[in-house]
């Protein structure tokens, strides 16, 4: 809100004097085991093995090792059973949120509401993860610099209280108040944040391997223009530099510009690299939604990337081929013995994972099978857990029984045998036998077919689902924006459909914070082009919304015998709704017979999720710089199904 000003002439004189004083620093604004087997052995979360300091994963693991028939002979086999499980605590050393608020803002109430809503999301996160500590700090700043309004505390109510202050341009009557929001001094804020995080680690006795999740929510107005004739570009460049410094040292930076004027936020939006984490009024809920999406990525299954079970057999024990379940990914036989490996390589592979295999001894003695479980988390840090040794006792060789030598047997002389004389036998006359009639058998005749997919006979319903988030306005290597490249690819795709002479139909859906059906299924090409031209970007990327709206578009107005296809294009990660909801929505759509293709642009993508959303790995495409989007869409057009040439058997 802008204040009422003095009459024009007095305003000019007073404004020049007071603003000059501000720039000189003189003006200060107001202020039980199974029989026949060993009891299982368990390891109680051992420490990491040979990981560089600071690179050890916070994930921990447990392992069980059991030998079936641990005592045997050389001709027998022993079965070894393993179980491995990883546990990745959510931010094991806690979640820290530092809120940086400017004391003079054009929209202070919006700033306070967004900040408190973000803390509310953190509070709900703590309810779902009661073992994780959450802390909030508040920093206030103005033209003089920054000060700590509330140090990091786990009392969220106290932190919210530090966010309530009444300073705004509407509380200042001097004409210079209009320029105050642009004069916020952020230079000392990065160092203050670093000191806060360092102090809380020291006070909590956290070591190098104790991971905290650190977030900063910052509010700032930085214009590249001028105010009352004074250039504010240098102040905006300082704010941009401060934002980039903060972003390098925390897990995520969220920035809000508390002004409805776009020109007031020209510098602010450049403070962070991820434009999805930027918001300004009148829109509410953008920052809390983005923060919620970041917290969702901290969900335990998303923290684990890879589990590998390794087993080392001594030379005296041989691995029985094809005896393992599951099949090992590595079987390496050397003079030192046999190495076996099983790998689970995907996010959310925490387990437990069961392995069983058999070994065959080739000599008597006591032999030990050793092994480790390697755990790799989503941050590339690892931990190695020792598997309890499995002992096999081979107590004796197997002896093959031999037959005794034959003994002498007396020979009995033959005795005379009475042979009766032959008796004539009457011969019966032949009788006729009925011959059964043979049953007819099928006869298979060769046939030569020259079938081809005729698009004119195709009846396909396709919905083009296009990301309309603000990041789609970023330019690509070709000089076009990502949105422009996507629209060109969509038009190339529509060119290949047979809507005028055939039965193909298309629909258009655009999505950001919500998804909107811009054009229902139609064969009217002009209407489809108008829908593409009507796409207006906004913040956030709700992929679940997109899939649900696309499915609804294909379900309404459909007819039997028509194939249904959804092509989803995005350049980012799902927010505010988690990507797990997108995968679940896609599963329901695919179960209903919808074929889904996904197309990802750029490098800030959840590639695994896009593959899970698609109908198969070959239905998911990536375009790093959007240069090949038209070729991708043309290839998808060629893959659209044709009708069956022959009827299916009932």
């Amino acid at each position: 809100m802008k204040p009422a000003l003095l009459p024009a002439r007095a305003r000019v004189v007073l404004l020049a004097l007071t603003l000059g004083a501000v720039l000189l620093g003189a003006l200060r604004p107001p202020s039980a085991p199974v029989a026949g087997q060993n009891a299982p052995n368990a390891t109680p979360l051992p420490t990491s093995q040979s990981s560089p300091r600071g690179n050890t994963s916070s994930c921990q693991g447990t392992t069980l090792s059991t030998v079936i028939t641990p005592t045997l002979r050389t001709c027998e086999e022993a079965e070894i059973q393993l179980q491995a499980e990883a546990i990745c605590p959510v931010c094991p050393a806690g979640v820290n949120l530092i809120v940086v608020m400017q004391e003079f803002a054009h929209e202070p109430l919006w700033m306070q509401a967004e900040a408190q809503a973000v803390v509310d999301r953190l509070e709900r996160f703590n309810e779902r993860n009661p073992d994780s500590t959450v802390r909030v700090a508040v920093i206030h700043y103005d033209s003089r610099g920054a000060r700590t309004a509330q140090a990091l505390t786990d009392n969220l109510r106290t932190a919210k209280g530090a966010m309530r202050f009444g300073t705004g341009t509407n509380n200042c009557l001097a004409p210079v108040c209009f320029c105050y929001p642009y004069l916020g001094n952020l230079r000392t804020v990065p160092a203050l944040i670093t000191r806060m995080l360092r102090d809380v680690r020291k006070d909590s006795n956290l070591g190098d391997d104790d991971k905290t999740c650190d977030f900063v929510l910052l509010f700032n107005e930085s214009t590249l223009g001028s105010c009352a004739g004074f250039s504010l570009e240098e102040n905006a460049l300082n704010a941009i530099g401060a934002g980039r410094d903060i972003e390098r040292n925390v897990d995520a930076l969220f920035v809000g510009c508390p002004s409805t004027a776009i020109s007031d936020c020209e510098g602010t939006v450049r403070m962070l690299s991820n434009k999805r984490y930027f918001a300004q009024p009148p829109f509410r809920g953008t920052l809390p939604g983005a923060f919620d999406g970041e917290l969702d990525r901290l969900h335990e299954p998303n923290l684990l990337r890879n589990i590998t079970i390794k087993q080392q057999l001594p030379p005296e024990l041989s691995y029985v081929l094809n005896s393992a379940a599951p099949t090992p990914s590595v079987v390496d036989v050397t003079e030192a013995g046999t190495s076996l490996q099983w790998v689970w390589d995907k996010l959310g592979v925490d387990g437990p994972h069961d392995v069983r295999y058999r070994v065959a001894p080739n000599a008597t003695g006591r032999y030990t099978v050793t092994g480790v479980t390697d755990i790799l988390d989503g941050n590339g840090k690892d931990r190695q857990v020792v598997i309890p040794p499995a002992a096999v006792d081979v107590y004796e060789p197997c002896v093959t029984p031999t037959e005794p030598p034959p003994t002498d047997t007396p020979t009995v002389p033959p005795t005379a045998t009475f042979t009766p004389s032959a008796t004539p036998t009457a011969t019966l006359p032949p009788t006729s036998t009925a011959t059964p009639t043979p049953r007819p058998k099928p006869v298979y005749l060769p046939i030569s077919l020259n079938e081809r997919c005729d698009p004119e006979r195709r009846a396909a319903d396709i919905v083009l689902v296009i990301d309309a988030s603000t990041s789609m306005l970023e330019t690509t290597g070709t000089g076009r924006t990502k949105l422009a490249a996507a629209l060109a690819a969509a038009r190339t795709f529509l060119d290949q459909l047979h809507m005028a002479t055939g039965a193909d139909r298309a629909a258009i859906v655009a999505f950001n914070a919500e998804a909107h059906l811009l054009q229902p299924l139609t064969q009217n090409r002009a209407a489809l082009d108008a829908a593409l031209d009507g796409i207006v970007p906004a913040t956030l990327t709700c992929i679940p919304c997109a899939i649900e709206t696309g499915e609804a578009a294909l379900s309404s107005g459909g007819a039997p015998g028509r194939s249904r296809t959804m092509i989803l294009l995005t350049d980012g990660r799902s927010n505010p709704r988690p990507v797990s909801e997108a995968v679940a929505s896609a599963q329901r759509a695919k179960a209903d017979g919808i074929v889904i293709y996904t197309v990802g642009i750029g490098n800030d993508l959840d590639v695994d999720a896009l593959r899970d959303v698609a109908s198969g790995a070959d239905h998911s495409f990536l375009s790093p710089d959007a240069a090949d989007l038209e070729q991708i869409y043309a290839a998808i057009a060629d893959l659209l199904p044709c009708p069956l040439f022959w009827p299916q058997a009932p």
Side-chain angles (χ1 to χ4, degrees), residues 222-470:
S222 292
T223 179
L224 297 175
S226 61
C227 182
F230 292 92
S231 174
L232 297 173
E233 183 175 359
E234 182 178 356
N235 190 73
L237 293 177
N238 289 335
I240 294 171
R244 296 301 174 91
D245 287 343
I246 295 170
E247 194 173 40
R248 282 192 293 268
N249 293 293
V250 296
D251 291 282
L253 170 66
F254 307 87
V255 174
C257 180
S259 174
T260 57
I262 296 177
S263 60
D264 289 350
C265 305
E266 292 173 333
T268 311
V269 74
R270 301 186 186 184
M271 295 177 66
L272 74 174
S273 58
N274 191 342
K275 302 303 186 292
R276 295 181 183 84
Y277 293 171
F278 170 81
Q280 69 181 110
F283 302 105
R284 294 202 175 196
T286 301
L287 293 174
F291 182 67
D292 215 18
E294 191 69 26
L295 291 178
D296 184 69
R297 294 173 62 184
L298 300 177
H299 186 52
E300 182 175 324
N302 297 333
L303 299 178
L304 189 63
R305 180 184 299 173
N306 176 296
I307 290 180
T308 302
I309 293 179
K310 301 179 180 178
Q311 288 276 271
Q312 181 64 43
L313 308 183
E316 295 80 7
L317 294 179
S318 300
Y319 165 63
V320 179
L321 291 176
N322 302 320
S323 67
T327 302
S329 56
V330 174
V331 179
D332 185 17
V333 181
T334 64
E335 293 182 357
T338 302
S339 298
L340 305 174
Q341 285 189 25
W342 292 263
V343 180
W344 291 266
D345 193 9
K346 190 177 180 182
L347 289 176
V349 292
D350 47 334
H353 299 286
D354 296 309
V355 169
R356 59 175 63 213
Y357 65 96
R358 296 199 306 275
V359 296
N362 53 46
T364 59
R366 182 179 178 85
Y367 307 111
T368 302
V369 178
T370 59
V372 295
T373 298
D374 283 337
I375 302 170
L376 183 68
D377 66 20
N379 297 317
K381 297 184 178 182
D382 65 346
R383 180 180 291 273
Q384 196 173 82
V385 180
V386 176
I387 297 176
V392 178
D393 287 315
V394 185
Y395 63 92
E396 67 177 9
C398 292
V399 179
T400 304
T402 57
E403 296 181 0
T407 57
D408 295 335
T409 303
T411 302
V412 179
T415 57
T417 303
F418 172 76
T419 302
S421 59
T423 303
T425 303
T427 302
L428 298 176
T431 59
S432 59
T433 303
T435 303
T437 303
R439 298 179 62 185
K441 298 181 179 180
V443 177
Y444 297 94
L445 301 177
I447 184 172
S448 176
L449 297 176
N450 185 22
E451 297 180 346
R452 65 184 179 89
C453 180
D454 185 2
E456 297 289 346
R457 301 179 57 198
R458 187 175 61 202
D461 287 343
I462 307 103
V463 58
L464 299 180
V465 184
I466 300 174
D467 189 336
S469 60
T470 51

Side-chain angles (χ1 to χ4, degrees), residues 543 568-572 579 583 590 596-601 604-617 619-622:
I543 297 180
L568 170 73
L569 178 143
T570 184
D571 74 332
V579 73
V583 175
K590 289 182 287 189
I596 301 179
Y597 292 90
T598 59
V599 182
I601 308 176
D604 187 20
L605 298 166
D606 194 333
V607 177
D608 288 338
L610 289 178
R611 288 174 180 163
D612 291 340
V613 166
S615 294
H619 285 55
S620 184
F621 299 86
L622 297 177

Side-chain angles (χ1 to χ4, degrees), residues 96-100 136-140 147-152 189-203:
N96 298 318
L97 171 65
I98 300 177
V99 182
V100 184
V136 177
V138 181
I139 296 173
H140 293 175
R147 64 181 180 85
T148 300
Q150 173 61 57
L152 279 166
V189 170
L192 183 55
I193 291 173
T194 300
R195 185 165 63 250
M196 279 184 169
L197 297 176
R198 184 184 64 237
D199 290 346
V200 78
R201 295 186 67 86
K202 180 179 178 181
D203 295 341

Side-chain angles (χ1 to χ4, degrees), residues 384-568:
Q384 196 173 82
V385 180
V386 176
I387 297 176
V392 178
D393 287 315
V394 185
Y395 63 92
E396 67 177 9
C398 292
V399 179
T400 304
T402 57
E403 296 181 0
T407 57
D408 295 335
T409 303
T411 302
V412 179
T415 57
T417 303
F418 172 76
T419 302
S421 59
T423 303
T425 303
T427 302
L428 298 176
T431 59
S432 59
T433 303
T435 303
T437 303
R439 298 179 62 185
K441 298 181 179 180
V443 177
Y444 297 94
L445 301 177
I447 184 172
S448 176
L449 297 176
N450 185 22
E451 297 180 346
R452 65 184 179 89
C453 180
D454 185 2
E456 297 289 346
R457 301 179 57 198
R458 187 175 61 202
D461 287 343
I462 307 103
V463 58
L464 299 180
V465 184
I466 300 174
D467 189 336
S469 60
T470 51
S471 60
M472 290 288 289
L473 297 177
E474 297 171 357
T475 57
T476 64
T478 62
R480 295 188 300 179
T481 65
K482 289 186 280 188
L483 181 59
L487 296 179
R491 289 188 168 92
T492 297
F493 179 84
L494 294 175
D495 288 340
Q496 299 190 50
L497 297 184
H498 292 266
M499 294 185 288
T501 59
D504 293 342
R505 300 186 299 178
I508 306 295
V509 169
F511 68 98
N512 32 65
E514 299 176 340
H516 301 280
L517 177 61
L518 303 183
Q519 174 58 54
L521 287 169
T522 183
Q523 292 179 317
N524 187 331
R525 176 58 188 271
L528 293 168
D529 285 334
L532 293 174
D533 292 335
I535 293 178
V536 178
T539 56
L540 301 184
T541 309
C542 184
I543 297 180
C545 307
I547 296 173
E548 292 162 2
T549 304
E551 181 185 11
L554 291 172
S555 299
S556 61
R562 304 183 65 86
S563 65
R564 295 182 296 164
T565 302
M566 182 189 309
I567 305 175
L568 170 73

Side-chain angles (χ1 to χ4, degrees), residues 162-187:
M163 299 174 188
R164 292 192 291 267
F165 56 92
T167 306
T169 57
N170 54 322
N171 294 329
C172 181
L173 298 180
V176 74
C177 294
F178 180 70
C179 299
Y180 271 148
Y182 314 123
L183 300 176
N185 186 354
L186 285 172
R187 291 180 180 178

